[in-house]
Protein backbone atom coordinates (compact mmCIF):
# COMPACT_ATOMS: atom_id res chain seq x y z
CA UNK A 1 0.00 0.00 0.00
CA UNK A 2 1.13 3.54 -0.76
CA UNK A 3 -0.16 6.85 0.41
CA UNK A 4 -2.43 8.33 -2.23
CA UNK A 5 -0.37 11.22 -3.56
CA UNK A 6 -1.33 12.99 -6.77
CA UNK A 7 -5.09 12.63 -6.70
CA UNK A 8 -5.62 13.86 -10.28
CA UNK A 9 -3.61 11.09 -11.84
CA UNK A 10 -4.60 8.40 -9.35
CA UNK A 11 -8.29 8.91 -10.09
CA UNK A 12 -7.77 9.16 -13.83
CA UNK A 13 -9.38 6.58 -16.09
CA UNK A 14 -7.68 4.90 -19.04
CA UNK A 15 -9.62 6.89 -21.70
CA UNK A 16 -8.81 10.13 -19.88
CA UNK A 17 -5.14 9.22 -19.78
CA UNK A 18 -5.15 8.35 -23.50
CA UNK A 19 -6.63 11.71 -24.37
CA UNK A 20 -4.24 13.58 -22.11
CA UNK A 21 -1.06 12.00 -23.47
CA UNK A 22 -2.22 12.35 -27.09
CA UNK A 23 -2.88 16.05 -26.51
CA UNK A 24 0.58 16.37 -24.99
CA UNK A 25 2.18 14.59 -27.95
CA UNK A 26 0.54 16.91 -30.46
CA UNK A 27 1.51 19.97 -28.40
CA UNK A 28 5.28 19.72 -28.93
CA UNK A 29 5.94 23.14 -30.45
CA UNK A 30 8.55 25.80 -31.00
CA UNK A 31 10.66 25.07 -27.95
CA UNK A 32 11.06 21.48 -29.08
CA UNK A 33 11.98 22.57 -32.62
CA UNK A 34 14.50 25.14 -31.39
CA UNK A 35 16.19 22.56 -29.19
CA UNK A 36 16.45 20.16 -32.11
CA UNK A 37 17.94 22.94 -34.23
CA UNK A 38 20.62 23.78 -31.63
CA UNK A 39 21.52 20.13 -31.16
CA UNK A 40 21.64 19.64 -34.92
CA UNK A 41 24.05 22.55 -35.31
CA UNK A 42 26.41 21.14 -32.67
CA UNK A 43 26.18 17.71 -34.27
CA UNK A 44 27.09 19.13 -37.70
CA UNK A 45 30.05 20.95 -36.10
CA UNK A 46 31.13 17.64 -34.60
CA UNK A 47 30.91 15.95 -37.99
CA UNK A 48 32.98 18.77 -39.46
CA UNK A 49 35.58 18.36 -36.72
CA UNK A 50 35.72 14.63 -37.47
CA UNK A 51 36.39 15.39 -41.16
CA UNK A 52 39.13 17.85 -40.21
CA UNK A 53 40.75 15.25 -37.97
CA UNK A 54 40.47 12.59 -40.65
CA UNK A 55 42.00 14.76 -43.38
CA UNK A 56 44.68 16.22 -41.12
CA UNK A 57 45.86 13.17 -39.18
CA UNK A 58 44.55 10.19 -41.11
CA UNK A 59 44.06 6.78 -39.57
CA UNK A 60 47.68 5.69 -39.29
CA UNK A 61 48.28 6.95 -35.74
CA UNK A 62 45.88 6.35 -32.83
CA UNK A 63 47.01 9.23 -30.64
CA UNK A 64 44.88 11.97 -32.29
CA UNK A 65 41.75 9.79 -31.96
CA UNK A 66 41.72 9.31 -28.18
CA UNK A 67 38.91 11.79 -27.55
CA UNK A 68 36.87 10.33 -30.39
CA UNK A 69 37.19 6.82 -28.89
CA UNK A 70 36.31 8.23 -25.45
CA UNK A 71 33.11 9.70 -26.92
CA UNK A 72 32.11 6.30 -28.27
CA UNK A 73 32.86 4.72 -24.89
CA UNK A 74 30.82 7.40 -23.12
CA UNK A 75 27.80 6.91 -25.38
CA UNK A 76 28.02 3.15 -24.90
CA UNK A 77 27.95 3.44 -21.10
CA UNK A 78 25.19 6.07 -20.90
CA UNK A 79 22.66 6.14 -23.74
CA UNK A 80 23.67 2.63 -24.82
CA UNK A 81 22.88 1.13 -21.42
CA UNK A 82 19.81 3.29 -20.65
CA UNK A 83 17.40 0.60 -21.98
CA UNK A 84 18.72 -1.79 -19.33
CA UNK A 85 16.82 0.21 -16.69
CA UNK A 86 13.40 -0.76 -18.04
CA UNK A 87 14.55 -4.27 -19.03
CA UNK A 88 15.53 -5.06 -15.45
CA UNK A 89 12.51 -3.38 -13.87
CA UNK A 90 10.10 -5.18 -16.20
CA UNK A 91 11.71 -8.47 -15.22
CA UNK A 92 10.87 -7.86 -11.54
CA UNK A 93 7.48 -6.25 -12.40
CA UNK A 94 8.24 -2.99 -10.60
CA UNK A 95 5.27 -0.60 -10.84
CA UNK A 96 7.40 2.54 -10.52
CA UNK A 97 9.12 1.78 -13.85
CA UNK A 98 6.10 2.85 -15.91
CA UNK A 99 6.80 6.60 -16.32
CA UNK A 100 10.45 5.95 -17.24
CA UNK A 101 9.90 2.90 -19.47
CA UNK A 102 9.60 4.70 -22.80
CA UNK A 103 12.36 7.18 -21.99
CA UNK A 104 14.67 4.28 -21.17
CA UNK A 105 14.07 2.20 -24.29
CA UNK A 106 13.98 5.21 -26.66
CA UNK A 107 17.68 5.73 -25.97
CA UNK A 108 18.17 2.56 -28.00
CA UNK A 109 18.07 4.67 -31.18
CA UNK A 110 21.43 6.14 -30.16
CA UNK A 111 22.92 2.76 -31.05
CA UNK A 112 22.66 3.90 -34.70
CA UNK A 113 25.11 6.72 -33.99
CA UNK A 114 27.31 4.46 -31.86
CA UNK A 115 27.70 1.93 -34.67
CA UNK A 116 28.47 4.65 -37.21
CA UNK A 117 31.12 6.17 -34.94
CA UNK A 118 32.56 2.72 -34.27
CA UNK A 119 33.38 2.08 -37.94
CA UNK A 120 36.37 4.51 -38.22
CA UNK A 121 37.88 3.01 -35.08
CA UNK A 122 38.14 -0.34 -36.86
CA UNK A 123 40.84 1.13 -39.12
CA UNK A 124 42.89 2.06 -36.03
CA UNK A 125 42.66 -1.46 -34.58
CA UNK A 126 45.46 -3.90 -35.54
CA UNK A 127 44.74 -7.61 -35.88
CA UNK A 128 45.13 -9.85 -32.86
CA UNK A 129 47.83 -11.92 -34.57
CA UNK A 130 51.02 -12.11 -32.47
CA UNK A 131 49.66 -9.64 -29.93
CA UNK A 132 48.92 -10.24 -26.26
CA UNK A 133 45.16 -9.84 -26.41
CA UNK A 134 41.98 -11.61 -25.36
CA UNK A 135 42.35 -13.90 -28.41
CA UNK A 136 45.76 -15.44 -27.45
CA UNK A 137 47.25 -15.53 -30.95
CA UNK A 138 50.98 -15.82 -30.40
CA UNK A 139 53.54 -17.22 -32.85
CA UNK A 140 53.69 -20.51 -31.02
CA UNK A 141 50.06 -21.32 -31.86
CA UNK A 142 50.75 -21.82 -35.55
CA UNK A 143 48.20 -21.60 -38.32
CA UNK A 144 45.67 -23.92 -36.66
CA UNK A 145 45.66 -21.85 -33.48
CA UNK A 146 44.75 -18.61 -35.19
CA UNK A 147 41.29 -17.08 -34.97
CA UNK A 148 40.44 -15.62 -38.38
CA UNK A 149 39.14 -12.07 -38.40
CA UNK A 150 39.96 -11.34 -34.76
CA UNK A 151 39.10 -8.91 -33.34
CA UNK A 152 37.40 -6.94 -36.13
CA UNK A 153 34.78 -9.49 -37.18
CA UNK A 154 33.67 -10.49 -33.70
CA UNK A 155 33.46 -6.97 -32.33
CA UNK A 156 31.45 -5.92 -35.40
CA UNK A 157 29.02 -8.83 -34.95
CA UNK A 158 28.41 -7.73 -31.36
CA UNK A 159 27.82 -4.13 -32.41
CA UNK A 160 25.34 -5.15 -35.11
CA UNK A 161 23.53 -7.47 -32.68
CA UNK A 162 23.32 -4.57 -30.20
CA UNK A 163 21.81 -2.34 -32.89
CA UNK A 164 19.22 -4.95 -33.89
CA UNK A 165 18.30 -5.62 -30.27
CA UNK A 166 17.93 -1.92 -29.40
CA UNK A 167 15.78 -1.01 -32.39
CA UNK A 168 13.79 -4.24 -32.15
CA UNK A 169 13.01 -3.62 -28.48
CA UNK A 170 11.79 -0.09 -29.16
CA UNK A 171 9.74 -1.22 -32.17
CA UNK A 172 8.06 -4.09 -30.30
CA UNK A 173 7.33 -2.08 -27.16
CA UNK A 174 5.97 0.98 -28.98
CA UNK A 175 3.93 -0.84 -31.64
CA UNK A 176 0.62 -0.46 -29.83
CA UNK A 177 1.33 3.18 -29.01
CA UNK A 178 2.27 4.01 -32.58
CA UNK A 179 -1.02 2.47 -33.70
CA UNK A 180 -2.86 4.80 -31.33
CA UNK A 181 -0.99 7.82 -32.73
CA UNK A 182 -1.72 6.78 -36.32
CA UNK A 183 -5.37 6.23 -35.51
CA UNK A 184 -5.52 9.68 -33.89
CA UNK A 185 -4.11 11.26 -37.06
CA UNK A 186 -6.51 9.36 -39.31
CA UNK A 187 -3.89 6.97 -40.71
CA UNK A 188 -4.08 3.19 -40.76
CA UNK A 189 -2.90 1.59 -37.47
CA UNK A 190 -0.59 -0.72 -39.44
CA UNK A 191 -2.31 -4.02 -38.73
CA UNK A 192 -2.49 -3.56 -34.97
CA UNK A 193 -5.95 -4.54 -33.69
CA UNK A 194 -5.14 -5.03 -30.02
CA UNK A 195 -6.24 -8.68 -29.99
CA UNK A 196 -5.29 -11.04 -27.19
CA UNK A 197 -2.89 -12.84 -29.53
CA UNK A 198 -1.13 -9.62 -30.53
CA UNK A 199 -0.69 -8.56 -26.91
CA UNK A 200 0.68 -12.01 -26.06
CA UNK A 201 3.15 -11.87 -28.97
CA UNK A 202 4.20 -8.37 -27.94
CA UNK A 203 4.85 -9.45 -24.36
CA UNK A 204 6.99 -12.37 -25.48
CA UNK A 205 8.82 -10.25 -28.04
CA UNK A 206 9.63 -7.50 -25.54
CA UNK A 207 10.95 -10.06 -23.08
CA UNK A 208 13.13 -11.87 -25.63
CA UNK A 209 14.50 -8.70 -27.22
CA UNK A 210 15.22 -7.28 -23.79
CA UNK A 211 17.23 -10.36 -22.88
CA UNK A 212 19.13 -10.25 -26.17
CA UNK A 213 19.93 -6.58 -25.70
CA UNK A 214 21.16 -7.10 -22.15
CA UNK A 215 23.61 -9.79 -23.26
CA UNK A 216 24.83 -7.92 -26.33
CA UNK A 217 25.34 -4.49 -24.72
CA UNK A 218 27.35 -6.00 -21.86
CA UNK A 219 29.36 -7.95 -24.43
CA UNK A 220 29.92 -4.84 -26.53
CA UNK A 221 31.14 -2.78 -23.58
CA UNK A 222 33.42 -5.58 -22.38
CA UNK A 223 34.99 -6.28 -25.77
CA UNK A 224 35.25 -2.60 -26.68
CA UNK A 225 37.15 -1.91 -23.47
CA UNK A 226 39.43 -4.89 -24.09
CA UNK A 227 40.16 -4.48 -27.81
CA UNK A 228 40.04 -0.69 -28.09
CA UNK A 229 41.77 0.23 -24.83
CA UNK A 230 43.45 -2.41 -22.66
CA UNK A 231 45.18 -4.27 -25.54
CA UNK A 232 46.97 -1.05 -26.59
CA UNK A 233 48.96 -0.85 -23.34
CA UNK A 234 51.68 -3.54 -23.17
CA UNK A 235 51.83 -5.30 -19.84
CA UNK A 236 48.40 -4.10 -18.68
CA UNK A 237 46.75 -7.19 -17.19
CA UNK A 238 43.46 -6.44 -15.50
CA UNK A 239 40.77 -9.13 -15.33
CA UNK A 240 38.40 -6.71 -13.56
CA UNK A 241 38.57 -4.00 -16.23
CA UNK A 242 35.75 -5.27 -18.53
CA UNK A 243 33.46 -5.85 -15.54
CA UNK A 244 34.27 -2.38 -14.21
CA UNK A 245 33.45 -0.77 -17.54
CA UNK A 246 30.18 -2.71 -17.67
CA UNK A 247 29.39 -1.48 -14.15
CA UNK A 248 29.97 2.11 -15.25
CA UNK A 249 27.43 1.35 -17.98
CA UNK A 250 24.79 0.23 -15.48
CA UNK A 251 25.46 3.32 -13.38
CA UNK A 252 25.61 5.69 -16.36
CA UNK A 253 22.54 4.24 -18.05
CA UNK A 254 20.38 4.67 -14.95
CA UNK A 255 21.79 8.18 -14.43
CA UNK A 256 20.88 9.06 -18.02
CA UNK A 257 17.29 7.94 -17.47
CA UNK A 258 16.99 9.84 -14.16
CA UNK A 259 18.30 13.11 -15.63
CA UNK A 260 15.98 12.78 -18.63
CA UNK A 261 13.05 11.93 -16.36
CA UNK A 262 13.69 15.06 -14.29
CA UNK A 263 13.95 17.30 -17.38
CA UNK A 264 10.72 15.81 -18.76
CA UNK A 265 8.99 16.52 -15.46
CA UNK A 266 10.44 20.00 -15.04
CA UNK A 267 10.15 21.34 -18.59
CA UNK A 268 7.72 18.91 -20.19
CA UNK A 269 4.74 19.57 -17.91
CA UNK A 270 4.54 15.92 -16.82
CA UNK A 271 4.39 16.45 -13.04
CA UNK A 272 1.10 14.55 -12.95
CA UNK A 273 2.72 11.32 -14.13
CA UNK A 274 6.35 11.61 -12.99
CA UNK A 275 6.32 11.80 -9.20
CA UNK A 276 8.79 11.82 -6.36
CA UNK A 277 8.37 8.08 -5.80
CA UNK A 278 9.95 7.35 -9.19
CA UNK A 279 13.12 9.26 -8.23
CA UNK A 280 13.13 7.86 -4.71
CA UNK A 281 13.05 4.26 -5.93
CA UNK A 282 15.66 4.86 -8.66
CA UNK A 283 18.00 6.66 -6.25
CA UNK A 284 18.46 3.50 -4.18
CA UNK A 285 19.80 1.64 -7.20
CA UNK A 286 21.94 4.63 -8.12
CA UNK A 287 23.49 4.66 -4.64
CA UNK A 288 24.25 0.94 -4.89
CA UNK A 289 25.92 1.38 -8.30
CA UNK A 290 28.01 4.25 -6.93
CA UNK A 291 29.30 2.05 -4.10
CA UNK A 292 30.06 -0.71 -6.59
CA UNK A 293 31.95 1.84 -8.70
CA UNK A 294 34.34 2.39 -5.79
CA UNK A 295 34.62 -1.33 -5.06
CA UNK A 296 35.56 -2.26 -8.65
CA UNK A 297 37.95 0.64 -9.16
CA UNK A 298 39.69 -0.01 -5.84
CA UNK A 299 39.96 -3.76 -6.53
CA UNK A 300 41.71 -3.05 -9.84
CA UNK A 301 43.99 -0.35 -8.44
CA UNK A 302 45.16 -2.24 -5.38
CA UNK A 303 46.68 -5.07 -7.46
CA UNK A 304 48.99 -2.65 -9.29
CA UNK A 305 49.72 -0.68 -6.13
CA UNK A 306 50.98 -3.69 -4.15
CA UNK A 307 52.58 -5.43 -7.14
CA UNK A 308 54.86 -2.47 -7.85
CA UNK A 309 56.65 -4.17 -10.72
CA UNK A 310 58.22 -1.65 -13.13
CA UNK A 311 55.55 -2.22 -15.78
CA UNK A 312 52.81 -1.91 -13.14
CA UNK A 313 54.29 1.34 -11.87
CA UNK A 314 54.18 2.75 -15.40
CA UNK A 315 50.56 1.69 -15.79
CA UNK A 316 49.70 3.37 -12.48
CA UNK A 317 51.35 6.53 -13.76
CA UNK A 318 49.52 6.34 -17.08
CA UNK A 319 46.05 5.68 -15.67
CA UNK A 320 46.06 7.30 -12.23
CA UNK A 321 48.87 9.68 -11.26
CA UNK A 322 50.56 10.78 -14.49
CA UNK A 323 48.88 11.95 -17.71
CA UNK A 324 45.53 10.67 -16.49
CA UNK A 325 45.70 12.21 -13.01
CA UNK A 326 43.24 15.03 -13.68
CA UNK A 327 40.69 12.80 -15.36
CA UNK A 328 41.03 10.16 -12.64
CA UNK A 329 40.54 12.71 -9.86
CA UNK A 330 37.45 14.15 -11.55
CA UNK A 331 35.98 10.71 -12.25
CA UNK A 332 36.55 9.60 -8.65
CA UNK A 333 34.94 12.75 -7.27
CA UNK A 334 31.94 12.88 -9.58
CA UNK A 335 31.29 9.16 -10.17
CA UNK A 336 31.61 8.18 -6.50
CA UNK A 337 32.19 10.88 -3.88
CA UNK A 338 29.63 13.47 -5.01
CA UNK A 339 26.73 11.04 -5.70
CA UNK A 340 27.50 9.06 -2.55
CA UNK A 341 27.43 12.15 -0.34
CA UNK A 342 24.28 13.36 -2.10
CA UNK A 343 22.33 10.09 -1.95
CA UNK A 344 23.47 9.12 1.54
CA UNK A 345 20.59 11.06 3.07
CA UNK A 346 17.06 9.74 2.80
CA UNK A 347 15.71 13.29 2.95
CA UNK A 348 17.58 14.00 -0.29
CA UNK A 349 16.59 10.74 -1.96
CA UNK A 350 12.94 11.52 -1.26
CA UNK A 351 12.96 14.47 -3.63
CA UNK A 352 12.95 14.89 -7.40
CA UNK A 353 15.98 17.17 -7.59
CA UNK A 354 18.36 15.26 -5.29
CA UNK A 355 18.61 12.04 -7.35
CA UNK A 356 18.71 14.09 -10.57
CA UNK A 357 21.63 16.12 -9.21
CA UNK A 358 23.49 12.94 -8.24
CA UNK A 359 22.77 11.48 -11.68
CA UNK A 360 24.20 14.61 -13.30
CA UNK A 361 27.38 14.19 -11.23
CA UNK A 362 27.64 10.59 -12.41
CA UNK A 363 27.30 11.48 -16.09
CA UNK A 364 30.15 13.97 -15.80
CA UNK A 365 32.24 11.46 -13.84
CA UNK A 366 31.52 8.80 -16.46
CA UNK A 367 32.81 11.11 -19.20
CA UNK A 368 35.97 11.83 -17.22
CA UNK A 369 36.55 8.11 -16.70
CA UNK A 370 36.29 7.45 -20.44
CA UNK A 371 38.71 10.29 -21.17
CA UNK A 372 41.12 8.80 -18.63
CA UNK A 373 40.93 5.34 -20.21
CA UNK A 374 40.84 6.02 -23.92
CA UNK A 375 42.96 9.16 -24.17
CA UNK A 376 45.60 7.47 -22.04
CA UNK A 377 45.64 4.18 -23.95
CA UNK A 378 45.57 5.87 -27.36
CA UNK A 379 48.64 7.90 -26.41
CA UNK A 380 50.81 4.76 -26.39
CA UNK A 381 52.85 4.74 -29.64
CA UNK A 382 51.90 2.18 -32.28
CA UNK A 383 55.32 0.53 -32.28
CA UNK A 384 55.15 -0.24 -28.53
CA UNK A 385 51.89 -2.21 -28.25
CA UNK A 386 53.67 -5.53 -28.94
CA UNK A 387 56.31 -4.98 -26.23
CA UNK A 388 56.45 -7.04 -23.07
CA UNK A 389 55.67 -4.02 -20.93
CA UNK A 390 55.12 -0.28 -21.07
CA UNK A 391 58.65 1.09 -21.17
CA UNK A 392 57.89 4.79 -20.79
CA UNK A 393 54.83 6.76 -19.77
CA UNK A 394 53.52 8.94 -22.64
CA UNK A 395 53.00 12.64 -22.07
CA UNK A 396 49.55 14.00 -21.36
CA UNK A 397 47.39 14.73 -24.39
CA UNK A 398 45.01 17.60 -23.70
CA UNK A 399 42.14 18.43 -26.07
CA UNK A 400 42.29 20.99 -28.83
CA UNK A 401 39.27 22.68 -30.40
CA UNK A 402 38.76 19.75 -32.79
CA UNK A 403 38.67 17.25 -29.92
CA UNK A 404 36.20 19.40 -27.99
CA UNK A 405 33.90 19.71 -31.00
CA UNK A 406 34.04 15.95 -31.58
CA UNK A 407 33.02 15.22 -27.98
CA UNK A 408 30.28 17.88 -27.89
CA UNK A 409 29.06 16.94 -31.36
CA UNK A 410 28.84 13.24 -30.53
CA UNK A 411 26.83 13.86 -27.36
CA UNK A 412 24.60 16.40 -29.16
CA UNK A 413 23.95 13.89 -31.93
CA UNK A 414 22.83 11.30 -29.40
CA UNK A 415 20.40 13.72 -27.73
CA UNK A 416 19.14 14.85 -31.16
CA UNK A 417 18.30 11.26 -32.15
CA UNK A 418 16.54 10.70 -28.83
CA UNK A 419 14.37 13.84 -29.10
CA UNK A 420 13.64 13.26 -32.79
CA UNK A 421 12.33 9.79 -31.96
CA UNK A 422 10.11 11.11 -29.15
CA UNK A 423 8.12 13.02 -31.75
CA UNK A 424 7.18 9.68 -33.29
CA UNK A 425 6.55 7.63 -30.14
CA UNK A 426 4.89 8.92 -26.95
CA UNK A 427 7.29 10.00 -24.23
CA UNK A 428 5.20 7.95 -21.79
CA UNK A 429 4.25 4.40 -22.73
CA UNK A 430 0.49 4.49 -23.33
CA UNK A 431 -0.12 0.77 -22.86
CA UNK A 432 2.21 0.45 -19.87
CA UNK A 433 0.76 3.41 -18.00
CA UNK A 434 -2.76 2.21 -18.83
CA UNK A 435 -1.89 -1.21 -17.41
CA UNK A 436 -0.82 0.51 -14.20
CA UNK A 437 -4.13 2.40 -14.02
CA UNK A 438 -6.06 -0.88 -14.25
CA UNK A 439 -3.97 -2.45 -11.49
CA UNK A 440 -4.61 0.17 -8.81
CA UNK A 441 -7.43 1.25 -6.59
CA UNK A 442 -7.75 3.91 -3.88
CA UNK A 443 -9.22 2.65 -0.59
CA UNK A 444 -9.78 4.20 2.78
CA UNK A 445 -7.55 2.99 5.59
CA UNK A 446 -8.29 4.42 9.05
CA UNK A 447 -8.37 8.21 8.50
CA UNK A 448 -6.60 8.44 5.19
CA UNK A 449 -6.78 7.18 1.64
CA UNK A 450 -4.14 4.75 0.40
CA UNK A 451 -3.22 3.42 -3.01
CA UNK A 452 -3.41 -0.36 -3.38
CA UNK A 453 -1.43 -1.86 -6.26
CA UNK A 454 -2.08 -5.25 -7.83
CA UNK A 455 0.29 -7.65 -9.55
CA UNK A 456 0.11 -7.88 -13.36
CA UNK A 457 0.25 -11.71 -13.33
Amino acid sequence: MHSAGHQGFLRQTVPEYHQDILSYQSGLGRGYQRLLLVLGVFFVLGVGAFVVRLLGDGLDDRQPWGYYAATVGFLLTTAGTAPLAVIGLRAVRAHWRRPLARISETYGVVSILIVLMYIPLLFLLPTALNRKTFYFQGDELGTLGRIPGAPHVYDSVLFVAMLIGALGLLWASSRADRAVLMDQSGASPGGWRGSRKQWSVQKIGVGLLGGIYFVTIIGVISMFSLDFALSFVPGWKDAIFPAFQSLTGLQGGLATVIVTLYLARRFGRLEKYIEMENFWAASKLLLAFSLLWFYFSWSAFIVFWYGRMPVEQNIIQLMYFGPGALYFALSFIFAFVAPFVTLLWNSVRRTCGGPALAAGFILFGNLMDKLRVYVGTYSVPNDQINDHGLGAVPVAHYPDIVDILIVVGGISGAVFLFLWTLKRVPILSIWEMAEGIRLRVIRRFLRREVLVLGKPD
Side-chain angles (χ1 to χ4, degrees), residues 275-277 279-280 283 346-356:
E275 300 181 283
M276 179 274 295
E277 283 78 6
F279 296 94
W280 187 20
S283 67
N346 191 46
S347 58
V348 176
R349 295 198 303 271
R350 294 190 63 177
T351 62
C352 297

Side-chain angles (χ1 to χ4, degrees), residues 346-388:
N346 191 46
S347 58
V348 176
R349 295 198 303 271
R350 294 190 63 177
T351 62
C352 297
L357 178 63
F361 290 149
I362 287 171
L363 291 180
F364 181 75
N366 188 298
L367 177 60
M368 294 299 104
D369 179 69
K370 299 306 170 286
L371 294 177
R372 173 184 72 94
V373 170
Y374 292 96
V375 174
T377 56
Y378 275 58
S379 64
V380 176
N382 292 4
D383 57 359
Q384 292 186 17
I385 65 172
N386 293 327
D387 294 347
H388 179 72

Side-chain angles (χ1 to χ4, degrees), residues 12-22 434 437-438:
Q12 196 175 41
T13 63
V14 172
E16 290 173 344
Y17 167 71
H18 278 194
Q19 189 58 42
D20 194 17
I21 197 64
L22 290 174
I437 293 175
R438 295 187 180 98

